[in-house]
Every structure is written in C-alpha cells, then in structure tokens.
Amino acid sequence: VTLWQQRSQHDNGTLQAVGFLMLSSIIGILIGDWTWLEGMRILGARKIIVMDCIKPFLAALVGRVFLGEQLKWPAYIGMLLTIVGVSIVGLEK
C-alpha cells in the first residue's frame, strides 16, 4: 500500500508539473508572439531583425553571470560576425 501511495503522489506531482509547463508555454507564446508582431508593426521588420541580433550576446552575458559559463574567443567572433552581417542587410535601404 505504501508503494502505491508513493507512486500515486509522484504521478500527481508529475501531472501538475506538466500542467504548469503547458500553462507557462501558452502564456509565453501568446505574450511573446504578440509583442514580436506589435514590434514589427510599429518599428518595421528591418529594425526588429537588427535588434534581434543582440540575443546571442545577452545569452552569453546571462550564462556568464548566472551560470559561470566561459566562452572561447571564436564564439565571440562568430557572434560579432553575425551581428555585422545582419546589421548590414537590415539597415540597407
């Protein structure tokens, strides 16, 4: 009986975790997509794409500050080349 109760509690916890994960995903997608589309409508696609190039640097910064991750110099060169390339294409008229 004890094993069955432990298994039942574990299954309920897993089901609850999956439910919260689904709720978080739905809310995140709704808010994220809505703000992305509004940004495109207000600023235009070219400016949004240029601003979107900052994401790799922000991810590297967050990884370094909160997780202690260390990137090697080729990763930073790759991010820089990507930003330069997308900025050239995004800012041309």
Side-chain angles (χ1 to χ4, degrees), residues 53-62 76 79-80 83:
C53 290
I54 298 171
K55 284 182 185 178
F57 282 107
L58 291 177
L61 178 65
V62 168
Y76 290 107
M79 286 188 278
L80 183 64
I83 286 176

Side-chain angles (χ1 to χ4, degrees), residues 13-34:
T14 303
L15 186 60
Q16 184 180 18
V18 169
F20 281 126
L21 179 62
M22 290 174 65
L23 179 65
S24 171
S25 298
I26 290 169
I27 291 171
I29 289 171
L30 289 175
I31 293 172
D33 285 354
W34 180 76

Side-chain angles (χ1 to χ4, degrees), residues 3 5-6 10 12-13 15 20-22 24 29 38 42-43 45 47 55-56 68-69 73 79-80:
L3 290 176
Q5 287 175 341
Q6 288 177 351
H10 178 69
N12 288 340
L15 186 60
F20 281 126
L21 179 62
M22 290 174 65
S24 171
I29 289 171
E38 280 297 302
I42 294 168
L43 298 175
K47 290 180 183 175
K55 284 182 185 178
E69 293 178 343
W73 64 270
M79 286 188 278
L80 183 64

